Amino acid sequence: MVSYKELGLVNTREMFAKAINGGYAIPAFNFNNMEQLQAIIKASAETKSPVILQVSKGARNYANQTLLRYMAQGAVEYAKELGWEHPQICLHLDHGDTFEVCKSCVDFGFSSVMIDGSSLPYEENIALTKKVVEYAHQFDVTVEAELGVLAGVEDDVQAEESHYTKPEEVIDFATRTGCDSLAISIGTSHGAYKFKPEQCTRDPKTGKLVPPPLAFDVLDAIMEKLPGFPIVLHGSSSVPQEYVDTINMYGGNLPDAVGIPEEQLRKAAKSAVCKINIDSDSRLAFTAAVRKVFAEKPGEFDPRKYCGPARDEMTKLYKHKIIEVLGSDGKAE
């Protein structure tokens, strides 16, 4: 058993409370490798933004859970090296689907876990979530739950259709499970193809897809039922078209990739939404930079020469999200 506090990490309780009161959202960036982690920490340290390092079940299998623990500990020390005296860094399991996976993460030093029982019948979701909460809270680890279903694909999480969270269920669910935050479905979606072309309109000037707006009426109804309760948005990458265009220009094939407009995320960040998940955008930034190097320097084979530019591009992306979209800069001096 390793306590996250020994690693210098924090849970989400205090950072979420401050975010709700301050009208901003905490960035939750998924990472799978060293370059992504370096970029996240550099961007967070330079902007003094609290940050959640997110690890999916797939990323955990890819990177190895023991290595992840030490990478998180190293991230805290790296942040201090960069001049961030009191880093506010959380290590969070994204989309844990069993009690066993969540327990393992708690035991290995994660400071927060998500139990995603959203695909289960309502009562089974409550029972599973409650079991995880009861275990995690013994060690002051915070728990995120999910109510409603997001469409799209992210690692092992797949759903053809979304089902909006029902506001009439949220009080009962939060009360009976004891969860610390709640991921809801209001129209965001996993992956780089968040909407089918037939769900969108096309900008007559550019020909680009324009996605449908988020269901802010559902969010407002949930906030009315659970005033001040931490709400989470998954599937909130905006799929920057410059990265999609670069990837396609240099041999990629991402037709009609579309994400959540940043102005909608800014609006959400000013509400009770205090955690916004971003994964696909950093994958696109990484891939665009690597493809560009390979196209311009086809003889290059040193990973540092293409992973380095990819890291720099992700750092730029993360700082943009922190400052221009989420408003979390300067909130963790």
Side-chain angles (χ1 to χ4, degrees), residues 23-25 236 238 261-270 276 278 317 319-329:
Y24 60 91
S236 295
S238 50
E262 288 188 342
E263 60 267 23
Q264 295 198 43
L265 298 176
R266 289 189 194 97
K267 180 178 177 181
K270 290 179 170 63
I276 292 182
I278 296 167
L317 168 75
K319 289 178 79 169
H320 167 75
K321 296 291 185 183
I322 287 168
I323 297 169
E324 303 295 337
V325 182
L326 308 180
S328 59
D329 52 309

Side-chain angles (χ1 to χ4, degrees), residues 35-151:
E35 285 79 14
Q36 282 180 307
L37 182 61
Q38 288 174 314
I40 292 167
I41 297 305
K42 193 166 189 289
S44 301
E46 289 180 357
T47 59
K48 296 296 188 294
S49 169
V51 69
I52 296 169
L53 303 174
Q54 272 194 170
V55 179
S56 66
K57 193 175 78 168
R60 191 164 167 258
N61 292 337
Y62 176 82
N64 178 269
Q65 62 179 4
T66 303
L67 275 175
L68 281 171
R69 179 174 76 212
Y70 290 108
M71 287 174 79
Q73 186 175 22
V76 173
E77 297 308 314
Y78 177 42
K80 291 177 181 177
E81 266 184 36
L82 292 171
W84 196 5
E85 193 174 346
H86 302 292
Q88 291 182 26
I89 300 171
C90 168
L91 181 63
H92 175 74
L93 170 67
D94 190 24
H95 288 292
D97 58 353
T98 65
F99 171 78
E100 289 72 24
V101 167
C102 291
K103 179 182 183 299
S104 176
C105 287
V106 171
D107 294 347
F108 262 78
F110 279 60
S111 56
S112 179
V113 295
M114 177 196 185
I115 178 63
D116 181 0
S118 61
S119 63
L120 300 172
Y122 181 73
E123 289 296 332
E124 290 181 31
N125 188 359
I126 286 180
L128 177 59
T129 302
K130 186 171 186 287
K131 185 178 181 182
V132 171
V133 167
E134 288 175 347
Y135 184 78
H137 280 185
Q138 295 178 76
F139 308 101
D140 201 26
V141 171
T142 42
V143 178
E144 175 186 329
E146 182 164 336
L147 194 57
V149 179
L150 272 69

Side-chain angles (χ1 to χ4, degrees), residues 193-240:
Y193 298 93
K194 298 190 182 300
F195 305 98
K196 297 174 183 176
E198 57 267 27
Q199 294 175 282
C200 305
T201 56
R202 282 196 185 270
D203 186 319
K205 293 181 181 176
T206 65
K208 299 286 187 184
L209 292 178
V210 178
L214 298 180
F216 281 101
D217 56 329
V218 176
L219 174 60
D220 290 342
I222 290 169
M223 287 172 15
E224 190 177 314
K225 298 283 186 185
L226 287 176
F229 194 82
I231 301 298
V232 176
L233 283 189
H234 283 243
S236 295
S237 283
S238 50
V239 188

